[in-house]
Amino acid sequence: MHSNSQLAKQINTTDSSGAFFTWLKIAWRLFVRELGRGELTIIALSIILAVSSVMALSSVTDRVEQAIMSKSAAFIAADRDLQSSHPIDNIVIEKANELGLQTDKHIYFSSMAFAGDEMNIAVVKAVTETYPLRGELFISQDLVTNQSVTKKGPKQGEAWLSKRLFYALSLDDAMLSSDTPPVVEVGELALNVTGIIESEPDAPFQVFDSGTRLIMNIGDVPATNVIQPGSRIFYRDLFAGEAGQLDELVQWLEPQLKPNQEIRDVKDGETAMSNALQRAESFLMLAGVLGLLLAATAVAVATRLYSQRHFDSIAIFKTLGASVQQVRVVYLFQLVLITIFSVLVGIIIGSLIQGVAVEAMAGQLPKDLPPVGFKPLLIAIATGAVCALMFSIPSLLKLFSVPPLRVLRRNLGDNFATSIMAKIIMAITTILLVLIYSQNLRLTAIVMGAGAVLVAVILVVSNIMIRLSRKVGSSVGGSAIKIALASLKRRASENTSQLIGFTLAIMLILILYSLENSIIKEWQQQLPEGTPNHFVINIAQHELEQVKQEFEQKDIVLEQFYPIIRGRLTTINDEVLLQNDRDKDKSGAKLTDGEEKANNAQTKAENRASDEEEGSESEGRKGIGRELNLTFTELFPENNTLLEGEWMTEGVLNQVSVEKGVAERMEIKLGDKLGFLIGAREVEVNVTSIRDVNWNSFQPNFFMIFSNDVVADFPATYISAFYLSKEDKLWVNQLVKQFPTLSIIDVEAMINEIQQVIEQVSVSISFVLLVVVMAATLVLLAQVQSSLDERRKETVIYRTLGAKGSMIQNAITFEFLSLGAIAGIIAALVAEVSLYLLQSLMFDMDWVPHPELWLIGPISGAVFVALVGTLSTRSLLKMTPNELIRQLS
Amino acid sequence: MSQSRISALVATNVSKQVSLPSAPSSSSDEKQLSILNDIELTIQDGESIAIVGASGSGKSTLLGILAGLDLPTTGEVHFYEKQINTLNEEQRAQIRRTEVGFIFQQFLLVPSLTALENVMLPAELSDDPELRNNAKVKAEQWLDKVGLSHRLDHFPNQLSGGEQQRVAIARAFITNPKLLFADEPSANLDTENGKLVEDLLFELNEKANTTLVLVTHDLELAKRCQRRVLLTNGHLVEKPAVINEGGDSSTSNNTDKSLDVQVAEAISNAF
């Protein structure tokens, strides 16, 4: 008796290893033959695309990012630093040295500096001789020629002074380069003044700093005897080295951080530079993710086509008695071979692209690009492999399930519906890929959200489309349109997947294009040509007119003058605020931070931090915790935006305009009554407007602006900004000599650095956009290709029935035109939603509608898809029906 | 019929119904369409039989069921005493690769493999290590037998229809199958090439003493088989050995309408 189990046994007992190798041999043979005959072109191209674009994108962005990071590391004069208001244990430096990092140690404090009979408060920075680890320190030894040289930290016994301190102490600039340099005393120690600080890489960028800076060697600090218990001291350990070493140090350090200690890298501060960098980084990451999605789409489309074309072969294999296992081994191994081949080609092409790109952008990119690391290579290989295997699963499952009976019933298995399981597998793979690639939950969530919107919209639209075409089909004249509509209707389910491909490609281009535009535009607006590169501060009221005259004589345009008065917010609507003066417990930080840095967004971060700290300590509404720089003007500040209320209504007394962030934190609303203590006087004002302030602009910015009547009779000092050309730099020295109390802050170096970084990042962003556009084009091509087989059959029928070539051509063009336009409309819609999510959640930008997308999307979609579709189906129309039939069989 | 011979294939009470997918506008009930009804057929080992019928009479469906490519809705199919309609696809595949050969109207060669590789394929899929290891030599021998030793490295699209079908014949014979199924083997060929292919098929079949099940609507071709059955409206009408010169058990009945006439009528009715 022949039972089933006996048969099964018989199958299992066949010599499996020999058979297995024969199956691999068949797979290899199929691979070689199909490769040679161009049948694997599409699937190979899509994997090559995935690998090469991911490789090129991640290596270029990786290299640019590294280069920019090291460049911008100059802004903290190191790659990482540890800040503390208590002395930092030596084991930190020891550990860093052990890891092979370069190190530097700073102490900051204020002390009186004496020179002869003169004295002035000095903000002291004590450094080691390795300072700066990153960036350049310019020290001038000759104030007459103003020529400066780059230096490392001063030797023991030496001190370098800012110009302001130098003149404030009435030191003689002629002595500077002589054998007997001027001497300055800090505490009990006398130091030789051997240089003037021209620029420090990590100078705090603050308009209201006193500007009386002094750099000395850290080894001299004990001898000064100024550091006593209770002194306000701020400590910094600085590190530079390889990313891996730095990460290791940070990982080691983080768990043992004490309160008031913080590890930073250049991205952590909320400076203009770090904002630009973070935004660029987000953009590059997003572009990489979108490139990845496109590549995955291409693979999914291509494997689907591949499967469709292999239905017959599988049916033949099965008819000849191939078991499902044999079919799986043969085709999976073939897929593995295709993947290996395509990944290798992809890596070569990817390296070439990135080489060419770096070469082409050589002028704009940082000079010293680090070599390509292994990371992009690994990411590219993993992407190619994962895409090829995971995104081909639905198609392969379908392929494996083709019944052998197809040899007799030729259309069996044609219905290509993707199973829910396969869809879930693809969705999970996509999410994991995005998550792994970006390591960013928020971005992954945005991508998922946008994806869900996309699928929902496409389902609705394709449904409507099918219904409409059913109705319109019989009434519209012109047989080409009729055929096209009939085709759209007949291929409704296939069109849905085509639509997803088309839409995805168009949408991703639209998103990146808009983002690129708005990011670069915003950067350019931030620092237009002629941005003031100097600030003049501390102008006494009685000198104001004289200073203005000096500028007029030199023909230098000054920006708006702002008077500055210091005061403290004491009440809101008569409720007395708790004055938990953070100076008392965060005194160290105050020293480097100077006073209020109206121009620096870091203030915002600090305020937030101090609010959080205070929040847990006591009940009641808290004050800002320190004195504010207040101003009064009735001219609306240029880079502010009025959010609520009205700006300084004429004839109304006691008005105040409040910055949005402070208003939110202090829960100040329009119409609230605020009480300030200015000097010894109490002042009451009403909130008449709320402003948004661009903290990244190089302009004086204020939390509180009063109407002129409130504080006009208080003694104020004035601040303004101006643009100074290189040739006029020496004039500044004269000005400072003439008005010793005023201070000039040169921010040109910083602006230049930022502009350079922005330019470099802009170039790499444009390159990335180009790669993604290329990838999208290939996806569109693959998508059109995948419908060609079906079209071939139809063309045969129409041609055999005697239809004119031009009519069929028009029908195909019209079909693709409408598909492209529909895809373009959906793409614009979903792109708009995605842009809203991206700009508000990722890029911290204000979202504005993008009306141009609604034009660009449908038009470019229709034209592009129709062009690609028409061109690739043209060959069909040139063939005679006989040739077509031969090709089909 | 001689009782000493074993039955190669026995179909008992075989019926096949397919459900037509309902149109979206109509009611959700699926329509059942009867293709085959109560088919009783016994094919002896070494016999050649033609299943004749008009287009759409269910010939290919019957062939599919007999060859184990498809399952009957009811009834039993025994393949050398093994009941195959209760086996799963894997087990039926195993029977196909060891005991069955196929020749199709559309040749159905794997387009990306050469003539030689197409013929090697069944041998390489075989469970028999000896056959697997000698696949290439055997394939060359069989291609030589069908007169294509000069076309070994040609791909199907580089071969004429007749040549492709000869490759398919070589592929069908390489595993020495006990049963050969041929579905309209010459229908896609011109008369001359069709004749050549038919000659080759019968010649090789005779030499190998393979049981041949041939499906055709071509009466001339059917006549070359020892036995013919007519499939009409899903029913099998058997008139064994009416014109069978070599048949050893002909039971001619002159009063009955000859099968040929019935076939001719059935075919012309179908058009």
Side-chain angles (χ1 to χ4, degrees), chain A residues 780-850:
Chain A
L780 290 179
L781 277 172
Q783 191 69 270
V784 170
Q785 277 288 318
S786 74
S787 72
L788 273 191
D789 291 348
E790 176 73 11
R791 273 168 224 286
R792 201 166 276 145
K793 284 183 201 159
E794 282 177 14
T795 311
V796 173
I797 299 168
Y798 288 130
R799 290 294 296 279
T800 317
L801 294 177
K804 270 193 213 155
S806 63
M807 195 199 74
I808 302 173
Q809 176 80 75
N810 288 345
I812 291 174
T813 308
F814 186 79
E815 190 186 342
F816 277 122
L817 210 62
S818 24
L819 266 182
I822 292 167
I825 294 169
I826 305 174
L829 174 72
V830 183
E832 192 71 284
V833 174
S834 312
L835 280 170
Y836 172 74
L837 293 175
L838 286 169
Q839 291 189 321
S840 55
L841 297 178
M842 278 259 320
F843 287 90
D844 199 20
M845 293 166 93
D846 290 324
W847 176 80
V848 280
H850 302 80

Side-chain angles (χ1 to χ4, degrees), chain A residues 220-287:
Chain A
D220 286 334
V221 174
T224 61
N225 245 338
V226 289
I227 298 188
Q228 305 290 346
S231 301
R232 298 164 162 198
I233 320 283
F234 178 65
Y235 302 85
R236 250 177 108 197
D237 277 7
L238 300 92
F239 317 99
E242 306 263 323
Q245 302 167 327
L246 290 164
D247 290 345
E248 201 174 323
L249 178 73
V250 170
Q251 271 172 16
W252 174 82
L253 252 175
E254 257 168 357
Q256 40 181 324
L257 282 185
K258 300 186 179 100
N260 290 329
Q261 286 193 336
E262 188 192 355
I263 308 169
R264 294 189 315 166
D265 66 26
V266 69
K267 285 189 286 180
D268 289 340
E270 278 191 45
T271 61
M273 170 59 96
S274 62
N275 268 345
L277 277 181
Q278 270 173 353
R279 206 165 272 179
E281 229 187 351
S282 299
F283 182 89
L284 294 176
M285 184 173 74
L286 175 73

Side-chain angles (χ1 to χ4, degrees), chain A residues 78-93:
Chain A
D79 291 327
R80 300 280 187 287
D81 74 351
L82 171 65
Q83 303 192 334
S84 173
S85 32
H86 309 289
I88 302 168
D89 214 322
N90 262 338
I91 56 163
V92 177
I93 290 280

Side-chain angles (χ1 to χ4, degrees), chain B residues 11 34 57 91 131 162 223 238 256 269:
Chain B
S34 225
S57 57
Q91 292 162 333
L131 185 56
K223 280 180 190 166
E238 182 155 10
D256 281 358
N269 285 343

Side-chain angles (χ1 to χ4, degrees), chain A residues 312-382:
Chain A
D312 279 347
S313 297
I314 293 279
I316 296 171
F317 265 79
K318 285 191 172 174
T319 303
L320 296 180
S323 64
V324 172
Q325 199 196 355
Q326 283 173 320
V327 169
R328 274 189 202 145
V329 169
V330 168
Y331 278 84
L332 280 177
F333 187 59
Q334 201 195 353
L335 183 71
V336 169
L337 289 171
I338 297 169
T339 308
I340 294 173
F341 168 80
S342 314
V343 165
L344 287 177
V345 177
I347 286 171
I348 295 169
I349 294 179
S351 320
L352 287 178
I353 294 178
Q354 72 95 15
V356 169
V358 169
E359 193 68 33
M361 300 188 292
Q364 281 86 6
L365 287 181
K367 297 273 175 304
D368 43 352
L369 273 184
V372 185
F374 276 108
K375 202 175 125 205
L377 191 69
L378 288 178
I379 291 177
I381 293 173

